[in-house]
Amino acid sequence: MKRLVVLSTTALLAACASSGSVPATSGGTVRNTTVVSVSGMNGSPTQTYESFADVGGTAHRVGAAPDRVWEVLPAVYQSLGIQVGTNLPDSKTIGNLKLELNRTLGGQPLSNFLNCGEGPTGTPLADAYRINMSVLTTLAPAENGGTRVETRIGALATNRAVSGASTNCATTGRLEGLIAERIKNQLG
């Protein structure tokens, strides 16, 4: 009889992301490691899978007033190929809670922006699985002037070949930095 043994441990890791000279803060990432071994099969290997879940957003400071940044934010999302599905002017929050992606975002591999772990062959799951992602950016006045641009990302990678097989993904911080960089470019 085959037995499936699953061990899971969780560790809280502090993660910081930065884009050039733009100050950034970041929440932590929870890492789940699952070791799977199948006994009773001749020489079956043990495989390790890692999944990640973010517990905070990443903030960057932009040297323009929130109202001015709000004007260019939809164009920034459009330039990345992210259709705006959430637009809350009162709280200056914009994004998409139901983004479905395959392999790329803004012409770049999804693994540049997300860490969903790797498959048995070492392929980043972000580049191989279907990604369901939420991206929300909120603007607020920064303490020393300008705008605090906080972007929160949540993502789930789902294996197209296996029903219900999915894993949480963590942000690399690059998309948040790219959003802040493109805001600055749009502002001139």
Side-chain angles (χ1 to χ4, degrees):
M1 176 183 221
K2 297 177 189 175
R3 269 187 329 155
L4 185 64
V5 180
V6 180
L7 305 172
S8 186
T9 59
T10 303
L12 183 63
L13 304 174
C16 292
S18 180
S19 173
S21 62
V22 179
T25 60
S26 177
T29 299
V30 175
R31 177 184 300 232
N32 295 308
T33 302
T34 304
V35 179
V36 179
S37 64
V38 181
S39 61
M41 297 183 75
N42 208 0
S44 63
T46 299
Q47 295 185 358
T48 302
Y49 300 93
E50 291 188 315
S51 65
F52 306 87
D54 283 345
V55 294
T58 300
H60 294 264
R61 186 185 169 285
V62 175
D67 287 338
R68 180 68 182 115
V69 175
W70 180 251
E71 291 173 7
V72 302
L73 198 50
V76 168
Y77 267 71
Q78 183 179 8
S79 75
L80 292 167
I82 301 172
Q83 182 178 356
V84 173
T86 300
N87 187 336
L88 306 169
D90 291 342
S91 64
K92 291 200 175 17
T93 299
I94 198 168
N96 190 323
L97 297 175
K98 297 180 181 182
L99 192 58
E100 291 188 22
L101 301 167
N102 290 302
R103 295 185 178 85
T104 63
L105 175 65
Q108 297 184 41
L110 281 168
S111 58
N112 286 352
F113 306 119
L114 299 172
N115 185 344
C116 305
E118 295 179 344
T121 62
T123 302
L125 297 181
D127 297 338
Y129 284 17
R130 182 183 70 238
I131 302 297
N132 293 306
M133 187 162 95
S134 64
V135 182
L136 284 177
T137 300
T138 302
L139 308 178
E143 284 185 28
N144 296 323
T147 300
R148 183 177 190 271
V149 179
E150 182 176 14
T151 301
R152 291 184 177 267
I153 295 174
L156 184 69
T158 304
N159 186 340
R160 295 176 194 93
V162 181
S163 177
S166 59
T167 185
N168 290 318
C169 305
T171 179
T172 64
R174 291 183 186 130
L175 181 56
E176 299 91 320
L178 186 57
I179 289 170
E181 178 183 314
R182 290 201 178 177
I183 288 170
K184 290 181 357 183
N185 291 342
Q186 286 280 332
L187 293 170

